Amino acid sequence: AQTVTQSQPEMSVQEAETVTLSCTYDTSESDYYLFWYKQPPSRQMILVIRQEAYKQQNATENRFSVNFQKAAKSFSLKISDSQLGDAAMYFCALQSSGDKLTFGTGTRLAVRP
Amino acid sequence: GAGVSQSPSNKVTEKGKDVELRCDPISGHTALYWYRQSLGQGLEFLIYFQGNSAPDKSGLPSDRFSAERTGGSVSTLTIQRTQQEDSAVYLCASSQQGAPTQYFGPGTRLTVL
């Protein structure tokens, strides 16, 4: 069975500062993908960033980057230059090839102006 | 192009009634997933369709839940004899064949009185 753990139910960051959201996972598969999704109050799950397990290089998308530590089964999200629009629930998710997503419990991020 | 759409956006029903929730995936996406998001259980996988293959129903919580996908496109999730514990947001996602990234719709919020 696959599990995803997000140990930070809530986080807060000052606008323009940097924040890191934590995620650990467990899987017996060697081929898998990791995702961070953002869910604002509108409910729509929006893909933030994706990491392929076979890639050693950490994924980056503009202000969003990950720290992928495969041996430690850790997958944290760093948001740089935080903006008010970044306020949302963030979910870490794990997927084995072609299969369903297993989600963590989420981290609610507040951005202070 | 158009994203995943779901209808209705909100549904209020009485305990014991049947409900149908609809999902229109992104055109050309062969894989379609249903998830449920509730306060007590977080985000749970329900069912997965891939092309003409038999669906993966392993996440359906009871035999009151069923889903079909007509013509490889639109999907309907049916909940019979609704119970209060069925109250949740039902999310649909789709992906291209062989591609890991799932794109989500805005969800249907179901409230069972």
Side-chain angles (χ1 to χ4, degrees):
Chain A
Q2 300 179 147
T3 60
V4 177
T5 302
Q6 294 180 250
S7 58
Q8 305 156 317
E10 297 182 348
M11 292 284 284
S12 179
V13 63
Q14 191 76 35
E15 193 175 6
E17 296 295 309
T18 295
V19 64
T20 299
L21 308 185
S22 301
C23 172
T24 58
Y25 63 94
D26 193 22
T27 179
S28 58
E29 303 287 338
S30 58
D31 182 21
Y32 55 90
Y33 297 86
L34 292 159
F35 303 85
W36 280 96
Y37 280 91
K38 168 185 176 181
Q39 188 179 41
S42 67
R43 270 189 340 233
Q44 180 103 37
M45 294 282 270
I46 301 165
L47 176 68
V48 175
I49 200 163
R50 182 183 91 192
Q51 175 78 44
E52 292 84 348
Y54 62 84
K55 289 187 177 179
Q56 292 188 333
Q57 186 173 7
N58 290 324
T60 299
E61 289 287 344
N62 300 314
R63 298 183 294 107
F64 300 87
S65 61
V66 299
N67 184 3
F68 174 47
Q69 301 290 326
K70 190 171 183 178
K73 294 183 177 177
S74 170
F75 182 61
S76 61
L77 174 69
K78 186 172 81 171
I79 306 173
S80 303
D81 186 25
S82 296
Q83 301 176 0
L84 294 177
D86 295 334
M89 280 289 286
Y90 286 81
F91 291 95
C92 179
L94 167 69
Q95 183 198 52
S96 296
S97 182
D99 208 348
K100 60 186 179 290
L101 290 166
T102 300
F103 288 92
T105 51
T107 296
R108 183 175 301 279
L109 178 66
V111 181
R112 305 186 303 274
Chain B
V4 178
S5 61
Q6 292 186 245
S7 60
S9 179
N10 293 282
K11 176 73 175 179
V12 180
T13 191
E14 294 179 348
K15 178 181 172 181
K17 301 284 189 183
D18 296 351
V19 295
E20 287 189 349
L21 312 180
R22 177 186 169 107
C23 173
D24 279 277
I26 294 172
S27 178
H29 280 194
T30 58
L32 187 149
Y33 305 77
W34 283 97
Y35 296 88
R36 179 170 71 174
Q37 185 174 23
S38 58
L39 284 176
Q41 301 297 322
L43 275 153
E44 307 170 276
F45 163 77
L46 296 177
I47 188 169
Y48 161 46
F49 297 90
Q50 174 59 273
N52 295 320
S53 301
D56 175 356
K57 303 179 182 180
S58 60
L60 294 179
S62 78
D63 58 8
R64 297 185 295 104
F65 288 72
S66 63
E68 63 177 19
R69 189 177 185 190
T70 53
S73 182
V74 172
S75 177
T76 301
L77 177 69
T78 301
I79 309 173
Q80 295 179 310
R81 305 181 302 281
T82 52
Q83 305 294 313
Q84 288 182 334
E85 61 262 29
D86 299 335
S87 295
V89 173
Y90 290 82
L91 294 167
C92 176
S94 70
S95 66
Q96 292 179 317
Q97 185 168 9
T101 300
Q102 296 178 27
Y103 297 91
F104 284 80
T108 294
R109 180 178 296 280
L110 175 65
T111 303
V112 182
L113 302 177

Coordinates of all heavy atoms in Angstrom, one line a residue, chain B residues 37-80:
Chain B
Q37 N -13.7 13.9 -1.7 CA -13.0 14.7 -0.7 C -14.0 15.0 0.4 O -15.0 15.7 0.2 CB -12.5 16.0 -1.3 CG -11.6 16.8 -0.4 CD -11.0 18.0 -1.1 OE1 -11.5 18.4 -2.1 NE2 -9.9 18.5 -0.5
S38 N -13.8 14.4 1.6 CA -14.6 14.7 2.7 C -13.8 15.1 3.9 O -12.6 14.8 4.0 CB -15.5 13.5 3.1 OG -14.6 12.3 3.3
L39 N -14.4 15.7 4.9 CA -13.7 16.2 6.1 C -13.1 15.1 6.9 O -11.9 15.2 7.3 CB -14.6 17.0 7.0 CG -15.0 18.5 6.5 CD1 -16.0 19.1 7.4 CD2 -13.7 19.3 6.4
G40 N -13.8 14.0 7.0 CA -13.3 12.9 7.9 C -12.3 12.0 7.2 O -11.4 11.5 7.8
Q41 N -12.4 11.9 5.9 CA -11.6 10.9 5.1 C -10.6 11.5 4.2 O -9.8 10.8 3.6 CB -12.5 9.9 4.3 CG -13.5 9.2 5.2 CD -12.9 8.3 6.2 OE1 -11.9 7.6 5.9 NE2 -13.4 8.2 7.4
G42 N -10.5 12.8 4.0 CA -9.6 13.4 3.1 C -10.0 13.1 1.7 O -11.1 12.9 1.3
L43 N -8.9 12.9 0.8 CA -9.1 12.7 -0.6 C -9.0 11.2 -0.8 O -7.9 10.6 -0.6 CB -8.1 13.4 -1.4 CG -8.5 14.8 -1.8 CD1 -7.2 15.7 -2.0 CD2 -9.4 14.8 -3.1
E44 N -10.1 10.5 -1.4 CA -10.1 9.1 -1.6 C -10.3 8.8 -3.0 O -11.3 9.4 -3.6 CB -11.2 8.4 -0.8 CG -11.3 8.7 0.7 CD -12.6 8.1 1.2 OE1 -13.6 8.8 1.1 OE2 -12.6 7.0 1.7
F45 N -9.6 7.8 -3.6 CA -9.9 7.3 -4.9 C -11.2 6.5 -4.9 O -11.4 5.7 -3.9 CB -8.7 6.4 -5.3 CG -9.0 5.5 -6.5 CD1 -9.1 6.0 -7.8 CD2 -9.2 4.2 -6.3 CE1 -9.3 5.2 -8.8 CE2 -9.5 3.3 -7.3 CZ -9.6 3.8 -8.6
L46 N -12.0 6.6 -5.9 CA -13.2 5.9 -6.0 C -13.1 4.8 -7.2 O -13.3 3.6 -7.0 CB -14.4 6.8 -6.2 CG -14.8 7.7 -5.1 CD1 -15.9 8.6 -5.5 CD2 -15.1 6.9 -3.8
I47 N -12.9 5.3 -8.4 CA -13.0 4.5 -9.6 C -12.1 5.1 -10.7 O -12.0 6.3 -10.8 CB -14.4 4.2 -10.0 CG1 -14.5 3.2 -11.1 CG2 -15.1 5.5 -10.5 CD1 -16.0 2.7 -11.4
Y48 N -11.6 4.2 -11.6 CA -10.7 4.6 -12.7 C -11.1 3.9 -13.9 O -11.3 2.7 -13.9 CB -9.3 4.2 -12.2 CG -8.3 4.1 -13.3 CD1 -8.1 5.1 -14.3 CD2 -7.4 3.1 -13.3 CE1 -7.1 5.0 -15.2 CE2 -6.3 3.0 -14.2 CZ -6.2 3.9 -15.2 OH -5.2 3.8 -16.1
F49 N -11.3 4.7 -15.0 CA -11.6 4.1 -16.3 C -10.4 4.4 -17.2 O -9.8 5.5 -17.3 CB -12.8 4.8 -17.0 CG -14.1 4.6 -16.3 CD1 -14.5 5.5 -15.2 CD2 -14.9 3.6 -16.6 CE1 -15.7 5.3 -14.6 CE2 -16.1 3.4 -15.9 CZ -16.5 4.3 -14.9
Q50 N -10.0 3.4 -18.0 CA -8.9 3.6 -19.0 C -9.3 2.9 -20.3 O -9.4 1.7 -20.4 CB -7.6 3.0 -18.5 CG -6.5 3.0 -19.5 CD -6.1 4.4 -20.0 OE1 -6.7 4.9 -21.0 NE2 -5.1 5.0 -19.4
G51 N -9.7 3.8 -21.3 CA -10.1 3.3 -22.6 C -11.2 2.3 -22.5 O -12.2 2.5 -21.8
N52 N -11.0 1.2 -23.2 CA -12.1 0.1 -23.2 C -11.8 -1.0 -22.1 O -12.6 -2.0 -22.1 CB -12.1 -0.5 -24.6 CG -12.5 0.5 -25.6 OD1 -13.4 1.3 -25.4 ND2 -11.9 0.4 -26.8
S53 N -10.8 -0.8 -21.3 CA -10.5 -1.8 -20.3 C -11.6 -1.8 -19.2 O -12.3 -0.8 -19.0 CB -9.2 -1.5 -19.7 OG -8.1 -1.5 -20.6
A54 N -11.7 -2.9 -18.5 CA -12.6 -2.9 -17.3 C -12.2 -1.9 -16.3 O -11.0 -1.8 -16.0 CB -12.6 -4.3 -16.7
P55 N -13.1 -1.2 -15.7 CA -12.7 -0.1 -14.8 C -12.2 -0.7 -13.5 O -12.5 -1.8 -13.1 CB -14.0 0.6 -14.5 CG -15.1 -0.3 -14.9 CD -14.6 -1.2 -16.0
D56 N -11.3 0.1 -12.8 CA -10.8 -0.3 -11.5 C -11.8 0.3 -10.5 O -11.8 1.5 -10.2 CB -9.4 0.3 -11.3 CG -8.8 0.1 -9.9 OD1 -9.5 -0.5 -9.0 OD2 -7.7 0.4 -9.7
K57 N -12.6 -0.6 -9.9 CA -13.6 -0.1 -8.9 C -13.2 -0.3 -7.5 O -14.0 -0.2 -6.6 CB -14.9 -0.9 -9.2 CG -15.5 -0.9 -10.6 CD -16.7 -1.8 -10.7 CE -17.3 -1.8 -12.1 NZ -18.5 -2.6 -12.2
S58 N -11.9 -0.5 -7.3 CA -11.5 -0.9 -5.9 C -11.7 0.1 -4.8 O -11.7 -0.2 -3.7 CB -10.0 -1.2 -6.0 OG -9.2 -0.1 -6.4
G59 N -12.0 1.4 -5.2 CA -12.2 2.4 -4.2 C -13.6 2.7 -3.9 O -13.9 3.5 -3.0
L60 N -14.5 2.1 -4.6 CA -16.0 2.4 -4.3 C -16.3 1.9 -2.9 O -16.0 0.7 -2.5 CB -16.8 1.7 -5.3 CG -16.7 2.2 -6.8 CD1 -17.6 1.4 -7.7 CD2 -17.1 3.7 -6.8
P61 N -16.9 2.7 -2.0 CA -17.1 2.4 -0.6 C -18.2 1.4 -0.4 O -18.2 0.7 0.7 CB -17.4 3.7 0.0 CG -17.9 4.6 -1.1 CD -17.3 4.1 -2.3
S62 N -19.1 1.3 -1.2 CA -20.2 0.3 -1.0 C -20.9 0.1 -2.4 O -20.6 0.7 -3.4 CB -21.3 0.9 0.0 OG -22.1 1.9 -0.6
D63 N -21.8 -0.9 -2.4 CA -22.5 -1.2 -3.6 C -23.6 -0.2 -4.0 O -24.2 -0.3 -5.0 CB -23.1 -2.7 -3.6 CG -24.1 -2.8 -2.4 OD1 -24.4 -1.8 -1.7 OD2 -24.5 -4.0 -2.2
R64 N -23.7 0.8 -3.1 CA -24.6 1.9 -3.5 C -24.0 2.8 -4.5 O -24.7 3.6 -5.2 CB -25.0 2.7 -2.3 CG -25.8 1.9 -1.2 CD -26.3 2.8 -0.1 NE -25.2 3.4 0.7 CZ -24.8 4.7 0.6 NH1 -25.4 5.5 -0.2 NH2 -23.8 5.1 1.3
F65 N -22.7 2.7 -4.7 CA -22.0 3.6 -5.6 C -21.7 2.8 -6.9 O -21.2 1.6 -6.9 CB -20.6 4.0 -5.0 CG -20.7 5.0 -3.9 CD1 -21.2 4.6 -2.7 CD2 -20.3 6.3 -4.1 CE1 -21.3 5.6 -1.6 CE2 -20.4 7.2 -3.1 CZ -20.9 6.9 -1.9
S66 N -21.9 3.4 -8.0 CA -21.6 2.8 -9.3 C -21.2 4.0 -10.3 O -21.5 5.1 -10.0 CB -22.8 2.0 -9.9 OG -23.9 2.9 -10.1
A67 N -20.5 3.6 -11.3 CA -20.1 4.6 -12.3 C -20.1 4.0 -13.7 O -19.8 2.8 -13.8 CB -18.8 5.3 -12.0
E68 N -20.4 4.7 -14.7 CA -20.2 4.3 -16.0 C -19.6 5.4 -16.9 O -19.6 6.6 -16.5 CB -21.6 3.8 -16.6 CG -22.6 4.9 -16.8 CD -23.9 4.5 -17.4 OE1 -24.1 3.2 -17.5 OE2 -24.6 5.3 -17.9
R69 N -19.0 4.9 -18.0 CA -18.4 5.9 -18.9 C -18.9 5.5 -20.3 O -18.6 4.4 -20.8 CB -16.9 5.8 -18.9 CG -16.2 6.9 -19.7 CD -14.8 6.9 -19.5 NE -14.2 8.0 -20.2 CZ -12.9 8.2 -20.5 NH1 -12.0 7.3 -20.1 NH2 -12.5 9.3 -21.1
T70 N -19.7 6.4 -20.9 CA -20.3 6.1 -22.2 C -19.4 6.7 -23.3 O -19.0 7.8 -23.3 CB -21.7 6.7 -22.3 OG1 -21.6 8.1 -22.0 CG2 -22.6 6.1 -21.3
G71 N -19.2 5.8 -24.4 CA -18.5 6.2 -25.5 C -17.1 6.7 -25.3 O -16.5 7.4 -26.0
G72 N -16.5 6.2 -24.2 CA -15.1 6.6 -23.8 C -15.0 8.0 -23.5 O -13.8 8.5 -23.4
S73 N -16.1 8.7 -23.2 CA -15.9 10.2 -22.9 C -16.6 10.5 -21.5 O -16.0 10.3 -20.5 CB -16.5 11.0 -24.0 OG -16.3 12.4 -23.7
V74 N -17.9 10.9 -21.6 CA -18.6 11.4 -20.4 C -18.8 10.2 -19.4 O -19.0 9.1 -19.8 CB -20.0 11.9 -20.8 CG1 -20.8 12.2 -19.6 CG2 -19.8 13.1 -21.7
S75 N -18.6 10.6 -18.1 CA -18.8 9.6 -17.1 C -19.9 10.1 -16.1 O -20.0 11.3 -15.8 CB -17.5 9.3 -16.3 OG -17.8 8.4 -15.2
T76 N -20.7 9.1 -15.6 CA -21.7 9.4 -14.6 C -21.4 8.6 -13.3 O -21.3 7.4 -13.4 CB -23.1 9.1 -15.1 OG1 -23.3 9.9 -16.3 CG2 -24.1 9.5 -14.1
L77 N -21.4 9.2 -12.2 CA -21.2 8.6 -10.9 C -22.6 8.6 -10.3 O -23.2 9.6 -10.1 CB -20.2 9.3 -10.0 CG -20.0 8.7 -8.6 CD1 -19.4 7.3 -8.6 CD2 -19.2 9.7 -7.7
T78 N -23.1 7.4 -9.9 CA -24.5 7.3 -9.3 C -24.3 6.8 -7.9 O -23.6 5.8 -7.6 CB -25.3 6.3 -10.1 OG1 -25.4 6.8 -11.5 CG2 -26.7 6.2 -9.5
I79 N -25.0 7.5 -7.0 CA -25.1 7.0 -5.6 C -26.6 6.7 -5.3 O -27.4 7.6 -5.5 CB -24.6 8.1 -4.7 CG1 -23.2 8.6 -5.1 CG2 -24.5 7.5 -3.2 CD1 -22.7 9.8 -4.3
Q80 N -26.8 5.5 -5.0 CA -28.2 5.1 -4.7 C -28.5 5.2 -3.2 O -27.5 5.0 -2.4 CB -28.4 3.7 -5.1 CG -28.4 3.5 -6.6 CD -28.6 2.1 -7.1 OE1 -27.9 1.2 -6.5 NE2 -29.4 1.9 -8.0

